[in-house]
Amino acid sequence: SLLTEIDCNVTISALILRLNLSLSTHKNLNWLNLGHRRSLENLWLLRPLPRPTHTMLASLSLALLVCVLCASTASTSALKLYSPANTLLRNGPIPFITRLVKPKEYEDKIKKFMLEAKEKDEVVAQGNMDAYFAAPDVWAEQKLLESQGRREVFDYGKGPEPERILLSTVWAGVVFGTLGRVVWQLAHGSRSLW
């Protein structure tokens, strides 16, 4: 959305300004066109700043990465899509990664599904496409059996149950905690898990 793009642009501008000020000394601020004004809002610009550190450069690159992801997931069309986090919770990492990496193709698939299936609800169409990206063969089988009347029609627009969200969060914490511990132990030369 426009607000996300504005927030990202402000964040990037502030970090780049801070980095540029760190690279220069307080005497070399003519490019800011401050002149001899000493107003309260410009006082923070006049004090000398430390040289850039690896932490400052890392924070700048992290902010740039987050802003690029925000901008890439910002919808430029009239579709009202649910959030990428909701995509991850509903159907797993494959549709989530597809949505982040190829946002235009993702939206085009949703629009195409809405046209072909004569679906009016964007959430149902997005749920169908998330299920398709997660497992195309399972989704196609479900649609085929639904059309033949041999299987109950599944509501892809319905959100996940709170129990499933809790279970997914707990399992993700256990898996990533264990993997993080293994990587930590291996990086520090220890062969034992604990």
Side-chain angles (χ1 to χ4, degrees), residues 2 11 31 38 61 63 73 87 108 111 120 128-129 136 138 144 163-164 171 182 185 191:
L2 182 61
T11 304
W31 61 275
R38 300 256 180 198
S61 50
T73 58
T87 298
D108 289 343
K111 290 176 187 174
K120 302 278 187 226
N128 272 284
M129 287 298 91
V138 174
L144 178 68
E163 297 85 22
R164 181 171 176 204
W171 270 111
V182 168
Q185 291 291 355
R191 297 287 179 195

Side-chain angles (χ1 to χ4, degrees), residues 1 4 66 68-75 79-103 106-107 110 126 130 160:
S1 69
T4 305
V66 167
V68 165
L69 287 177
C70 287
S72 69
T73 58
S75 178
L79 290 177
K80 304 258 189 268
L81 304 177
Y82 49 75
S83 71
N86 213 345
T87 298
L88 181 65
L89 280 174
R90 287 175 183 233
N91 290 301
I94 295 173
F96 174 73
I97 292 170
T98 304
R99 184 172 182 181
L100 290 181
V101 174
K102 304 175 193 170
Y106 183 82
E107 284 188 11
I110 293 171
Q126 186 179 6
D130 283 346

Side-chain angles (χ1 to χ4, degrees), residues 2 7-8 12-13 17 23 35 42 55 61 69 77 93 107 113 124 128 130 134 149 158 160 177 194:
L2 182 61
D7 289 342
C8 287
I12 291 172
S13 300
L17 178 65
L23 292 172
N42 293 333
T55 308
S61 50
L69 287 177
S77 69
E107 284 188 11
F113 178 81
V124 173
N128 272 284
D130 283 346
K158 187 176 77 170
W194 309 109

Side-chain angles (χ1 to χ4, degrees), residues 101-149:
V101 174
K102 304 175 193 170
K104 181 72 175 147
E105 180 183 322
Y106 183 82
E107 284 188 11
D108 289 343
K109 292 273 188 181
I110 293 171
K111 290 176 187 174
K112 182 179 177 186
F113 178 81
M114 289 177 72
L115 286 174
E116 290 178 358
K118 296 181 179 54
E119 180 64 51
K120 302 278 187 226
D121 190 10
E122 288 113 349
V123 173
V124 173
Q126 186 179 6
N128 272 284
M129 287 298 91
D130 283 346
Y132 172 77
F133 287 130
D137 54 337
V138 174
W139 180 82
E141 178 187 9
Q142 172 72 23
K143 289 296 178 184
L144 178 68
L145 294 175
E146 284 176 6
S147 67
Q148 294 173 350

Side-chain angles (χ1 to χ4, degrees), residues 13-14 16-22 24-35 37-50:
S13 300
I16 289 174
L17 178 65
R18 178 81 178 169
L19 187 64
N20 283 338
L21 289 175
S22 297
S24 64
T25 62
H26 68 284
K27 295 176 186 174
N28 190 14
L29 291 176
N30 294 334
W31 61 275
L32 286 174
N33 198 14
L34 291 177
R37 292 178 296 166
R38 300 256 180 198
S39 63
L40 290 176
E41 63 267 8
N42 293 333
L43 282 179
W44 71 274
L45 292 172
L46 296 177
R47 63 186 165 98
L49 297 170

